[in-house]
């Protein structure tokens, strides 16, 4: 599956990127990701094999990544909902939960539990 972009109220959700136009590598370092480039590749692989769907929760006007949220398939019809936010951006993560949960249910046929505050 190709990554799906989502609008969540005041926030814009998109796949992680590291290309000539936009790089999430600096933002991922703020989330203590050891190898941000490898993390982005693994997140994109998750979209491709439909095992993990990771979004960067961004400020729409700047594209700044302020939170991460993901759906991780745990079974044929179940998934974990996980995410973290940078300090001061808990509202961004909270606003992303509804749209991501609806995407998991409607587009993927997956039932998620409540958000688990852990890196995706």
């Amino acid at each position: 599956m190709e990554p799906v972009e989502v609008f969540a109220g005041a926030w814009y959700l998109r796949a992680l990127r590291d290309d000539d136009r936009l790089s999430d590598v600096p933002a991922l370092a703020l989330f203590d990701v050891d190898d941000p480039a490898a993390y982005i590749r693994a997140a994109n692989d998750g979209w491709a094999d439909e095992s993990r769907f990771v979004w960067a929760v961004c400020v729409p006007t700047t594209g700044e990544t302020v939170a991460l949220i993901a759906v991780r398939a745990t079974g044929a019809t179940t998934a974990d909902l996980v995410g973290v936010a940078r300090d001061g951006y808990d509202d961004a993560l909270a606003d992303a939960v509804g749209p991501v949960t609806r995407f998991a249910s409607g587009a993927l046929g997956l039932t998620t539990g409540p958000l688990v505050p852990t890196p995706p």
Side-chain angles (χ1 to χ4, degrees):
M1 170 181 289
E2 292 292 320
V4 174
E5 297 176 350
V6 177
F7 283 96
W11 310 100
Y12 173 63
L13 283 62
R14 60 167 173 74
L16 294 170
R17 293 180 51 183
D18 184 21
D19 56 41
D20 59 340
R21 295 179 57 209
L22 181 63
S23 177
D24 285 308
V25 167
L28 290 174
L30 297 173
F31 291 102
D32 296 326
V33 173
D34 291 332
D35 187 346
Y39 184 90
I40 292 169
R41 285 190 301 275
N44 289 331
D45 289 346
W47 278 96
D49 68 16
E50 298 185 14
S51 63
R52 181 174 78 146
F53 308 87
V54 180
W55 287 269
V57 182
C58 304
V59 176
T61 55
T62 65
E64 177 186 12
T65 298
V66 297
L68 300 171
I69 191 167
V71 172
R72 294 188 303 208
T74 57
T77 61
T78 58
D80 289 334
L81 180 65
V82 296
V84 292
R86 288 179 23 203
D87 288 340
Y89 289 100
D90 291 338
D91 57 333
L93 182 58
D95 288 350
V97 168
V100 169
T101 300
R102 288 188 295 276
F103 174 82
S105 176
L108 304 173
L110 297 172
T111 301
T112 61
L115 178 71
V116 177
T118 189

